[in-house]
Amino acid sequence: MPEKSFYATTPIYYVNDAPHIGHAYTSVAGDVLTRWHRQRGETAVYLTGTDEHGTKVERKAAEHDVSPQEWVDRLVEEHWRPVLETLEIANDDFIRTTEARHKRGVQHFWEVLKEKGFVYPAPFEGPYCVGCEEFKVAADLMEGTGEYEGQLVCKVHHKPVEMLSENNWFFRLSDFGDRLLEHYERNPNAVAPTSARNEVVAFIKEGLNDISMSRSSVGWGIPLPWDSDQVVYVWFDALLNYITAIGYGGDEAAEQRFAQTWPADVHLIGKDILRFHAIFWPAMLMAAELPLPKQVFAHGWLLVGGEKMSKSKLTGIAPSDITDDFGVDAFRYYFMSAIHFGSDGSFSWEDMRDRYSAELANGLGNLASRSAAMIGKYFEGRLPEPGAYTNMDLALQDRLATVADSADAHMVKLNFSAGIAAIREFVEEVNGYVTTQEPWKLARDPEQRNRLATVLYTVAESLRAIAVLYAPVMPGICEELWQSLGAAETAGALADQNVRQVADWGVLRPGATITKTPPLFPRLEEDKA
């Protein structure tokens, strides 16, 4: 059997409205991670998609006087798929919970659990948050204020919960508390960061109660195969996307694909859905006797005005609001570099503008522009043959090897900001090298022709490595840089370059045509004179 693919997923996004940059943040992180693994020479599978069932969708469709299917079809095609294209997300699959393959897999899964005795009928009465699509416990609620004074409200949405009374089917979650604690004791990195793991372990130690896995008062969902009056509770439908998308419950070929891909190497999620992914989901898999994901990584929230980004609070910013001004690559760069993945982070227009100007336009963009301009001016646009390397040249080569190792170590651990910082520091060092070597002065002395060639070759070869290292973060810009260096003729496609071999020196072929492109990062409008 071929080697197992690296498998990463985003949560499937709830389609009651259009996406904002909080959704884009997770999608970009997954894309950067899987692109990085591909550039390590690995096979990678990246899954994203949409969660289309439940009360919120049912009610939102009714508000717009359309069927739930019409509503989700419109949102997916007009908003959710297009934003992936806009952000250059290279996902391998897009799963929708209204697809036949998903419905088939979900019904098969719950039939298996029913046959194993993990599902039983019982009445349910308690609080439910439609915004979270979640049954709540007392710790999840708080006293309302203002218009909701005297009512219990959800701590996440700050809106009143609804009291439900239904006859549903329950999953025996209480059977798995000890097994989950044992799993997290043996696998301390199975939930990350550490704060998230501690939260999960503490919740389990408080004791797990069985939970309703179906709804009798909701019509928009996947029917239980043994009880057509009930639909699968939206979370126990949605979580299964991670396996239905890769073949679970399908034909023989699909099952082979499932065996090749599962378990997931990482589920990327927001911290507000940690309980579902680190308690309910592994318990479900244990019940089905399926392997558990290797890691659930709960990143922090993007904050606006100190609050979690939210369409309902009018703080949701559309990705296009930013990409129209800064470009897609700068969008990807900023959110992966400015915020430590795993912590909350505040978005600031001013901070993004400052970083764009200092780190991209005046950093990488200026280096690429100066290099191409000098090779064009002094060597008629042909990459010169380097002469003997000095200690300073060799030190830069050694530094590249260190940076490549550091960036790789950080990126595979999802420490994107540290990985990008290592690459950015190398860009700054190459800019410093240019300033120190002063090639414009060398060009005035015919006897320094060989030294000038060596300096400019060193800069170009450094840019070749930078293009490879930054490609998972800024694929569009790095492709432009790759082509301008004539690297495609020498080394092949940028996507085929291995980040673990990027420090091998001398890849660019002397004599290759170096082309000066328009600025990789144009000056922003208000910065122009």
Side-chain angles (χ1 to χ4, degrees):
M1 178 178 285
E3 185 178 348
K4 181 193 174 299
S5 299
F6 176 84
Y7 182 34
T9 71
T10 70
I12 50 174
Y13 303 114
Y14 208 75
V15 293
N16 61 312
D17 211 332
H20 54 61
I21 59 173
H23 305 107
Y25 178 58
T26 316
S27 296
V28 169
D31 188 61
V32 170
L33 179 64
T34 45
R35 284 179 184 268
W36 189 274
H37 276 274
R38 291 186 189 112
Q39 296 227 212
R40 298 177 98 230
E42 301 171 24
T43 301
V45 175
Y46 180 32
L47 174 69
T48 190
T50 45
D51 181 1
E52 303 179 13
H53 290 133
T55 307
K56 272 194 295 188
V57 168
E58 194 172 38
R59 293 181 181 178
K60 200 75 172 181
E63 288 176 19
H64 290 79
D65 197 28
V66 296
S67 71
Q69 189 66 60
E70 289 175 308
W71 177 246
V72 297
D73 286 347
R74 180 191 305 173
L75 281 171
V76 169
E77 296 308 317
E78 294 181 4
H79 297 285
W80 290 90
R81 287 188 187 274
V83 81
L84 295 177
E85 296 176 9
T86 297
L87 296 174
E88 298 186 23
I89 305 298
N91 54 296
D92 297 279
D93 199 353
F94 186 97
I95 182 73
R96 298 181 58 183
T97 57
T98 52
E99 293 181 62
R101 60 172 172 162
H102 180 69
K103 176 180 178 180
R104 180 174 58 245
V106 168
Q107 291 183 324
H108 174 71
F109 182 90
W110 285 109
E111 286 226 81
V112 169
L113 263 60
K114 183 173 182 292
E115 290 172 2
K116 290 177 177 289
F118 291 112
V119 174
Y120 64 92
F124 170 83
E125 186 170 350
Y128 188 83
C129 173
V130 174
C132 294
E133 291 283 14
E134 181 181 4
F135 299 103
K136 294 295 185 179
V137 297
D140 299 327
L141 306 176
M142 59 187 287
E143 290 290 335
T145 58
E147 64 177 310
Y148 302 131
E149 187 173 353
Q151 302 180 66
L152 289 175
V153 300
C154 167
K155 287 184 177 180
V156 176
H157 289 89
H158 303 289
K159 290 184 178 181
V161 291
E162 299 180 7
M163 295 304 296
L164 299 183
S165 179
E166 301 179 355
N167 290 309
N168 297 337
W169 288 81
F170 278 67
F171 170 56
R172 296 186 186 277
L173 181 64
S174 60
D175 287 3
F176 296 93
D178 290 342
R179 289 180 62 183
L180 286 168
L181 289 175
E182 182 184 354
H183 171 69
Y184 290 130
E185 180 68 27
R186 291 198 319 265
N187 303 281
N189 294 320
V191 176
T194 302
S195 58
R197 179 185 179 277
N198 292 341
E199 177 186 334
V200 167
V201 170
F203 188 88
I204 297 171
K205 287 181 176 179
E206 289 177 4
L208 299 179
N209 297 316
D210 294 350
I211 186 169
S212 176
M213 56 75 53
S214 74
R215 297 291 308 278
S216 59
S217 64
V218 179
W220 181 237
I222 297 176
L224 292 185
W226 65 87
D227 187 346
S228 59
D229 292 331
Q230 304 257 346
V231 300
V232 179
Y233 167 39
V234 63
W235 271 104
F236 288 141
D237 156 2
L239 287 164
L240 288 161
N241 90 90
Y242 302 126
I243 59 176
T244 62
I246 56 172
Y248 177 83
D251 59 19
E252 184 178 346
E255 288 289 354
Q256 288 179 352
R257 186 168 73 256
F258 174 70
Q260 172 72 24
T261 311
W262 190 255
D265 290 86
V266 62
H267 290 318
L268 301 178
I269 63 167
K271 65 180 183 180
D272 51 332
I273 55 174
L274 176 62
R275 190 182 306 169
F276 297 102
H277 285 79
I279 299 175
F280 300 172
W281 178 225
M284 290 162 59
L285 292 167
M286 286 176 176
E289 299 180 18
L290 292 173
L292 273 56
K294 296 179 182 178
Q295 185 178 68
V296 173
F297 194 103
H299 66 71
W301 289 339
L302 289 186
L303 306 177
V304 175
E307 292 191 358
K308 179 192 175 189
M309 195 165 296
S310 166
K311 285 284 186 181
S312 62
K313 295 182 180 178
L314 303 180
T315 57
I317 301 170
S320 59
D321 292 341
I322 300 174
T323 58
D324 287 350
D325 285 343
F326 295 95
V328 172
D329 290 280
F331 178 102
R332 293 168 59 102
Y333 174 90
Y334 176 79
F335 284 103
M336 292 298 98
S337 63
I339 300 168
H340 177 70
F341 199 68
S343 303
D344 291 347
S346 294
F347 169 72
S348 161
W349 291 97
E350 294 76 17
D351 185 49
M352 183 164 188
R353 178 174 290 277
D354 290 345
R355 287 174 180 269
Y356 176 95
S357 297
E359 299 171 10
L360 297 179
N362 297 332
L364 176 58
N366 187 47
L367 177 63
S369 178
R370 285 202 294 173
S371 171
M374 288 188 288
I375 292 173
K377 181 177 181 179
Y378 304 135
F379 292 94
E380 298 180 336
R382 299 287 182 178
L383 185 65
E385 178 87 41
Y389 291 116
T390 66
N391 288 337
M392 184 165 288
D393 307 328
L394 295 173
L396 196 62
Q397 295 176 28
D398 291 341
R399 179 66 180 142
L400 171 59
T402 301
V403 165
D405 287 343
S406 175
D408 185 49
H410 288 306
M411 297 297 266
V412 296
K413 292 180 179 177
L414 284 75
N415 192 350
F416 303 117
S417 56
I420 291 171
I423 305 167
R424 182 175 63 245
E425 288 170 7
F426 183 68
V427 174
E428 293 169 354
E429 289 174 24
V430 179
N431 266 318
Y433 171 86
V434 173
T435 299
T436 301
Q437 297 304 302
E438 299 180 311
W440 49 90
K441 288 187 177 180
L442 295 174
R444 298 174 195 160
D445 185 352
E447 294 185 3
Q448 294 291 331
R449 183 73 173 173
N450 285 341
R451 181 61 194 153
L452 175 63
T454 304
V455 169
L456 293 182
Y457 182 88
T458 296
V459 174
E461 183 69 351
S462 297
L463 280 167
R464 186 268 312 165
I466 291 166
V468 175
L469 292 169
Y470 264 151
V473 182
M474 298 185 286
I477 289 296
C478 288
E479 183 61 38
E480 288 184 42
L481 178 58
W482 189 254
Q483 295 298 328
S484 74
L485 292 168
E489 302 172 20
T490 303
L494 176 57
D496 294 336
Q497 308 307 304
N498 194 311
V499 292
R500 291 183 286 188
Q501 298 169 358
V502 72
D504 294 348
W505 196 261
V507 174
L508 292 180
R509 184 176 64 242
T513 300
I514 305 297
T515 54
K516 193 174 188 305
T517 65
L520 296 179
F521 301 98
R523 291 173 62 188
L524 301 173
E525 284 299 323
E526 68 181 51
D527 294 335
K528 296 178 181 178

